[in-house]
Structure formats: C-alpha cells, structure tokens
Amino acid sequence: MPSCSWIDTFDRIVPCVVKTRLGKNQSWGQKPFGEKDFPFFFRGIKDLSEFFTDLGPKQLPSYFSHPRYRSSYLLYFMQLHASRFSCVFDRHPDALKLLLTENRLRILDLGAGPGTASLALLLWLSQNIPHDRLDGHSIAFDWYDTNAAIMEDGSAIFDEFCKLDPFSKMKITVNRYRKPWQYASGDASLVLAGNVLNEDSRDATKRISDILSASRPPGGVLLLEPALRNISRGLARIREELVSHPRDPAKPGIRGPCLHHGQCPLGDGRDWCHFSVLHKVPGRIFARYSQMLGSERLRAKFCYLWLSSPGYPAPAPDANSRLIISDNLARQQGRAPRARTDKGLFLVCESGKTQKIQFTTSGGAGRGTIIKTH
Ligand SMILES: C[S@@+](CC[C@H](N)C(=O)[O-])C[C@H]1O[C@@H](n2cnc3c(N)ncnc32)[C@H](O)[C@@H]1O
C-alpha cells in the first residue's frame, strides 16, 4: 500500500515551505535546504529547546512572533511533537478507526500551532488504514491558536501535503481561528490538544467537561503534553474531576493511559505518570538536529490523557492487564544485567495504588508497556 511518508513531509515539504515562505525576502530563502542551513537554523532550535525546558508558561516569550523561531519549530519541534502523537495513536487505534464510521469528520485542534496534531493524524491514517477506506470521507480541521502566523505556516504545509496520495482523493479543509482554545465549540468527531495546557491551562477542566458533554465527540478528547511532573499532575486532576468511579458508559470515561476507572495513585507523591517509549523518528533533518542537540532521541517521552465522551465508552480493558509506570527497577538497582531476556521489577498502576511486580521481560519493557499478570 503506498502511503505518503513521514520523510516526504518532514524532509521535503516542511523545509521547502520554510525556505520559500519564511525566507521569501531573505538571501537564504532563494536556495533549497542544504548543508549550510543546518547550523543556520540550529541557533533557533537551541534557543527554543532552552525556552521549553527552562521557562515556565509565564516566562515564555511570544516565540511564534519571530520568523526565526517559527522556522526552527517547523524544522524540528513539529516533527518531535508529531512523533509523540503517532505513539499515542498507535496505542489506541480503536479510537481512530471508530471515527471512520462517519463520512464527514470535524477535528478540533486546540493550540494547533502549525497543525502538528492534525498532520500526525493524517499520517497515521495514511499508514494504518487501507486507502480505499479513506475515499469519500471529508475532514474539516478547525485550528484554534492565539498566534495567526504559525497557523498560516502550517496551512502552507497542509496545502502541499494534501496533494499527496491518498489525500488528494479526500476533501480536506482547514479553518483557522485566532482565538484562545477555550473558545472552541460545536460538534466534533475528535478533539486534539498538543502541548498547549503547558502554556495555558486556564479553565481547562471546565472547558473540557463542556466539550465532552455538549459536543460528545465520538473519538473523545486527547490531551498530550511534555513529560513534566507538574503537567502530569494537572492531567491527573482533570481526570479526577471528570471521570466517574466506577466506570459509567453514560459519563465521560478514559481511553488511556489508565486501565482502570478508579482513583489515580499518581496524583501526588514521588511517582508521576509519564511515558518513555522506544520510537525512532524517521527523517534526516530530525536525526541531524537531534545529534546537534546532543540527544539521539531514541525514545518518545510524553504524558497524556485521552477521555471518552458520554455514550462512546472505550472498550473495557482486560482485568488482568496492568500498565507499567516505571523503568526497570531491577536494572536501576544493579540486580539485572542487560540481556536479551532478564528479570524485570516494575511499578504498575492499579486503582488507588501502585504495586511492584516482577516478571521476565524480553527487553524493551518500560514506562507505558502493558503486561498481563495471569
Ligand atoms: C508548543 S506549541 C504547540 C503547537 C502544536 N500543538 C504542537 O504540538 O506542535 C503551543 C501552542 O499553543 C498556543 N497557545 C498558547 N496559549 C494558547 C491559548 N490560550 N489558546 C490557543 N493557543 C494557545 C501557542 O501559540 C502555540 O502555538
């Protein structure tokens, strides 16, 4: 099955848009992306990386007001964030397949930036759904962001992307709203919000509750954020306030990451819920900039909460399944050598508590892996 690839998108379309659109009146905008561009754009990538790591939401400058930072974001962070969405979509394919039972989809992308979550969704569909099943569908993406310029850049990327197979056969529209995400409303099939609560979480619980109960998106609401303790705790609070215990299909519920509807044991204390999943991002530009930043980026790190709407419950998880929420403690304590199979000791999540479980892993098990206890 041919599919429009990650590489087409991020190694070809994005650098071309950066050069032609953001470098329109600049000498560097006249030539295709080449060797000299790596150090040129790296300065912005490094600055942004420091902003995102070191600064709190109130200290963040208005980085998307500067073409230099928008270029750097498009070349590196858009791809990084899209890869985290891919990982979460891979964990919950049912939620996305459910969407295709409707022919006309409306996807809300909150704090859309360049439409990262929307693009990640289209890439996932292209790579995981037979293309003839996509024919005849139309998708309207509604992007909400307080910065108009980054949404315009994202639209230029989308225009090129949608010419690729199989999306040339679908009707795809992007509507841009320069408004706080809290203003998003109306019927939706799915709501995506990536890395925005980290910048503005005002009224988050109330607004998400309103969307779930008024719009009832069949695919629910996915909140995906950086793997930071205070953000993870914020998601745990939203979960506690919105999700019914015990599970009630007529009320908002959970698609993931939790495998139970009981109390979250990670809302306070030493441990916090986040994931670190083995995931290699394809693409030459990403690999090169990761190396320049001193990281191989072999793992996608994030925290998330995917809520289901009343009337659209996620399938009940197997009662014997448990979610690992730690690294291999045996390895950390020096008890298990690195080997193809080794004894693993992991913290798993249960209703209201965590528990240590020992089992033999074939390697690769870690935060986010689901295991069977019987
Ligand atoms: C780190 S970027 C994330 C962009 C995109 N979702 C992604 O994952 O790549 C954060 C975005 O949130 C936007 N933003 C911040 N506060 C916002 C608010 N109250 N309403 C809408 N957008 C907001 C910023 O303009 C920026 O585009």
Side-chain angles (χ1 to χ4, degrees), residues 193-220:
N195 306 290
V196 64
L197 298 188
N198 187 30
E199 296 191 13
D200 184 0
S201 59
R202 273 173 298 167
D203 295 334
T205 307
K206 163 127 191 28
R207 291 303 306 132
I208 291 160
S209 169
D210 290 349
I211 289 173
L212 282 168
S213 50
S215 314
R216 293 192 171 211

Side-chain angles (χ1 to χ4, degrees), residues 52 74 122 128 162 169 194 211 234 272 281 320 346 366:
F52 292 145
L74 297 172
L122 288 181
N128 292 280
C162 290
K169 299 190 195 83
I211 289 173
W272 46 290
V281 179
N320 295 324
F346 293 95

